[in-house]
Amino acid sequence: MRTTLKRGIGRGADLNGNGHAVLPPGVLTPIARYRQPPRQDRGIGRRLAGFFFWVLVLVAMVASGAAGGLYLYGHDFASATAPHSRAMKRAAKRLDYAAPGKPAVALVLGTDHRFVDGKDPGRSDTMMLIRSDPSTHTVSMLSFPRDLRVEIHCPGRGSFVDKINTAYPTCGPSGPLETLKALTHIPINYLISVNFVGFVQVVNKLGGVYMDVDRRYLNRHTGPSGFAAINLQAGYQRLNGKQALDFVRYRHTDNDLFRVARQQMFVRAAKEQLARYSRFHVSSLLGAIKKNVEVGRSGGKGVDLSTMVNYALFFHGLPGGHFVQVRIQGLEGMSDLSTAPQNITNAVQEFMNPDPAAPERANAAALNEKYRPKVHGINPKTVFVTVLNGNGVTGSAAITGTQLHERGYQILQPPDPLPGDSPDGWHHTRTRVFYDATQKNAKAAAKQVAKLFTDSSTGPMTPRFQPYANGAELVVVVGQSYDGSLAGTNPSAPPPRHQAPHTNREPSVSRPLMQAIRRKLPFRVEYPSVIDRSSRVDPEPPNPRVYTVHGHKMARLVFTTGSPGEYWGIQETSWGRAPALSEKNFIRHFGHRTFEFFYSGSHLHMVVLMENGATYWVVNTLDDALSNETMIAIARGLRPLR
């Protein structure tokens, strides 16, 4: 007889079968909040190190249909990018093993030159973790600002507190690797060291990168007492290598949070550009990468050709909205940054558990609609599961059962007097999902459930486990690889809820400005009659700006929220096939008007109105400061000039 629990789960899913619920464990590790006296900056020139973001070209190098070129040049490329410096070889031996078909994490280091023991070791001003998850078909990125004060871990030298960017010059690539492993407790499977010298060359080989520049960037005060020169106008445009370098390195009038956002934006733009890249130019692109990249995996070896091909195909098929940019919130300070431990905990949880349904959930909340999850494969409500403990960790089976129940699976408990532990002990390193071969769809259901675990296997239910099933199709034995969460869950993130848009109806703010440029554009100009309540038109000229890209006329109107670094805008163009429009999440109709929604995780980054043979974009700030509801209200408030 089946026994289900409508609220919670039974003793069969607890550690020892005593029926007591156990709360989920705390995330990963305690993290101290550091506030130390500021150190003297080591120079402007070394800040050139943080521009490794084009390295995504490495793992998705020919994702644009150039896979044939990868096969032609892949063996030579794999050999050339394998660790060859002593420091990288040592660091690669500290990497964790990446199981085939399972999520993998790469640490990408941007350096001004390679680490050489005792000789000007160079710097790595920014570090990024990139996680790919084939089970949820998501990629998440988590960046660490160069000035974040943490405990630095140097193999053989002990630990000390300093800015995170000191880990590389002090300890070589092993320094940031061990520092981030200690800070986050995230297993790291690949180490990618990128020399920024090739940045300009690679971008130019790609034919430039189309990026949305949020505002006017101008600095001519250079030299020993100044900053790097930059001269970029606002608007969607194609940047060459030098311009892209200027953009991703900038942080003069904002802070590292926005520089991280610009760098992550570049990664997305590079991915879009790869989709347009010709396979006939692969050899020249790979040649530029080979000179400036080292890639290591566990055991100290390089990445083989088949792994490169798999990553290329994975990135190529990545759906829109499944590229999640994670940022550490609550950063305080200027030259020395700190944040509450919970903010790092939340960022790690979001990074490790990207929710592929996050855009759908957020969109339903923004539109004040009931969220109706899409059912793929077998409906979880028809699948009965018994959960047993196979790792000896208190409460792991109880937590697993709760999480499966939240996913819709029906949780059973073993019949009396059987305990909730695996009958063959607590030595299971991997989570095992047994299925009853006599029940229809049980094997397919087992494969579906197994995808929710980081490291798992499936197999037919043996006579030893049959009594514990209590009629369930599946018996899940939780292994030591279980980290307290299922794929696609983020315990630290509350469910999205609808909130009122933060807007005012003020058509007189922008209508005269757009009226002044209407005759310069070959399509009907529109203006925002609704704007964010805290915003005003940016006084930096030219605003609005009229310009031409790829033969298409464009206009950009920039607004500022008043907070440093926060600018949003209205982009108008007749270019209906711009690369930025290739990965929409949703199409919605309000009356006779058609809108396209572009999400980054749960954040609505852009809304595009399509009418009059043109497109009208509402583009959020770099850090997506405008709420989803505010973005939709502004887009719906666009009005054509009569």
Side-chain angles (χ1 to χ4, degrees), residues 54 65 74 81 84 108 180 266 502 531 574 638:
W54 57 272
T81 57
H84 47 271
V108 187
L180 289 181
F266 177 83
H502 188 262
I531 64 173
S574 58
L638 290 171

Side-chain angles (χ1 to χ4, degrees), residues 1-311:
M1 178 178 178
R2 286 177 171 172
T3 305
T4 61
L5 297 179
K6 299 299 183 182
R7 298 181 182 274
I9 60 176
R11 61 176 177 81
D14 200 1
L15 170 68
N16 52 20
N18 59 12
H20 296 296
V22 182
L23 294 176
V27 179
L28 307 178
T29 183
I31 303 170
R33 183 177 184 174
Y34 302 112
R35 292 181 181 276
Q36 297 290 333
R39 286 175 58 121
Q40 184 176 358
D41 198 313
R42 299 186 182 180
I44 301 298
R46 296 300 179 85
R47 296 176 184 174
L48 298 176
F51 320 119
F52 56 85
F53 309 95
W54 57 272
V55 79
L56 198 58
V57 174
L58 175 67
V59 290
M61 63 191 77
V62 279
S64 57
L70 180 58
Y71 278 108
L72 289 174
Y73 305 100
H75 291 289
D76 177 56
F77 182 83
S79 175
T81 57
H84 47 271
S85 63
R86 288 184 299 172
M88 273 293 290
K89 289 179 180 179
R90 288 195 300 265
K93 292 179 180 179
R94 298 177 173 274
L95 294 169
D96 298 285
Y97 171 72
K102 297 300 180 180
V105 176
L107 168 58
V108 187
L109 303 175
T111 66
D112 50 4
H113 58 274
R114 292 186 174 125
F115 183 89
V116 180
D117 291 328
K119 296 181 181 179
D120 190 17
R123 296 181 69 82
S124 178
D125 279 358
T126 311
M127 306 167 194
M128 178 185 287
L129 294 176
I130 301 179
R131 180 181 186 270
S132 60
D133 189 343
S135 64
T136 60
H137 218 61
T138 57
V139 168
S140 49
M141 297 184 296
L142 174 58
S143 298
F144 297 86
R146 64 187 291 275
D147 294 334
L148 181 65
R149 296 191 70 85
V150 299
E151 186 173 1
I152 305 298
H153 289 260
C154 275
R157 299 191 185 186
S159 61
F160 58 93
V161 175
D162 207 333
K163 294 181 180 180
I164 197 170
N165 71 323
T166 63
Y168 182 84
T170 306
C171 321
S174 297
L177 175 63
E178 293 301 320
T179 295
L180 289 181
K181 288 173 70 173
L183 180 67
T184 66
H185 273 204
I186 295 175
I188 299 176
N189 313 109
Y190 297 97
L191 180 60
I192 305 173
S193 178
V194 184
N195 188 333
F196 88 95
V197 173
F199 182 97
V200 173
Q201 183 182 2
V202 169
V203 173
N204 289 336
K205 292 290 185 182
L206 283 172
V209 175
Y210 288 95
M211 298 188 67
D212 187 80
V213 179
D214 57 318
R215 62 180 175 95
R216 179 79 165 100
Y217 290 86
L218 178 64
N219 178 56
R220 295 193 177 98
H221 181 57
T222 60
S225 61
F227 298 97
I230 187 172
N231 187 5
L232 290 177
Q233 300 280 0
Y236 186 74
Q237 57 198 281
R238 181 167 60 183
L239 303 183
N240 60 31
K242 175 62 167 59
Q243 293 170 325
L245 182 62
D246 293 342
F247 183 67
V248 300
R249 69 182 293 192
Y250 183 89
R251 70 170 196 146
H252 310 333
T253 58
D254 43 44
N255 56 38
D256 261 342
L257 177 63
F258 292 96
R259 184 167 73 162
V260 163
R262 281 186 287 270
Q263 294 164 346
Q264 292 183 342
M265 179 192 298
F266 177 83
V267 174
R268 296 176 63 95
K271 176 183 177 295
E272 293 170 356
Q273 185 66 9
L274 279 166
R276 307 160 59 89
Y277 193 69
S278 170
R279 65 179 179 177
F280 300 107
H281 298 102
V282 171
S283 60
S284 62
L285 178 61
L286 298 188
I289 296 174
K290 286 193 300 183
K291 299 175 183 178
N292 301 286
V293 175
E294 287 183 271
V295 184
R297 62 181 175 91
S298 61
K301 299 181 179 180
V303 179
D304 57 83
L305 175 60
S306 61
T307 301
M308 291 183 182
V309 173
N310 289 336
Y311 276 115

